[in-house]
Amino acid sequence: MGIFFLYLFIASATPLFLWKEKRKLALASLPLLIAMWVLSGFYVTDSLSSAAHTFFMVLFSFNVLMAHVAAIVLYVKPKWWKRYASD
């Protein structure tokens, strides 16, 4: 459960990563994050149906994936471009 909440917070930090360079994408991720937090409350109390549980896991996985892609696009990709541009 601890890893679950760790990734929940990492996914929630995605708009902070994106805010400076990609504001529209950061704002677009907010409704998904709100839905993820609401569903996580139901998940902790075991009051999700099977369909809602599946939807929550897909939403959670998508948000974590988006957080990782945002980190790569914002922090790794510029270093790659600088390295290859100097060659």
Side-chain angles (χ1 to χ4, degrees):
M1 191 63 105
I3 300 283
F4 169 74
F5 279 106
L6 175 67
Y7 275 114
L8 194 63
F9 285 116
I10 289 171
S12 297
T14 302
L16 298 175
F17 296 144
L18 296 172
W19 188 253
K20 207 172 189 182
E21 288 88 6
K22 309 273 186 191
R23 245 175 232 210
K24 289 181 183 178
L25 189 57
L27 290 173
S29 68
L30 289 178
L32 295 172
L33 289 173
I34 292 169
M36 185 176 66
W37 276 100
V38 169
L39 286 173
S40 68
F42 289 120
Y43 176 74
V44 170
T45 60
D46 286 333
S47 57
L48 287 177
S49 66
S50 296
H53 188 271
T54 303
F55 175 72
F56 172 63
M57 286 300 144
V58 169
L59 181 67
F60 176 77
S61 300
F62 178 74
N63 279 324
V64 169
L65 180 66
M66 187 171 151
H68 284 79
V69 168
I72 289 170
V73 166
L74 293 176
Y75 299 114
V76 175
K77 192 175 176 184
K79 290 182 183 181
W80 284 347
W81 285 113
K82 285 180 186 176
R83 185 173 68 183
Y84 291 122
S86 64
D87 288 344

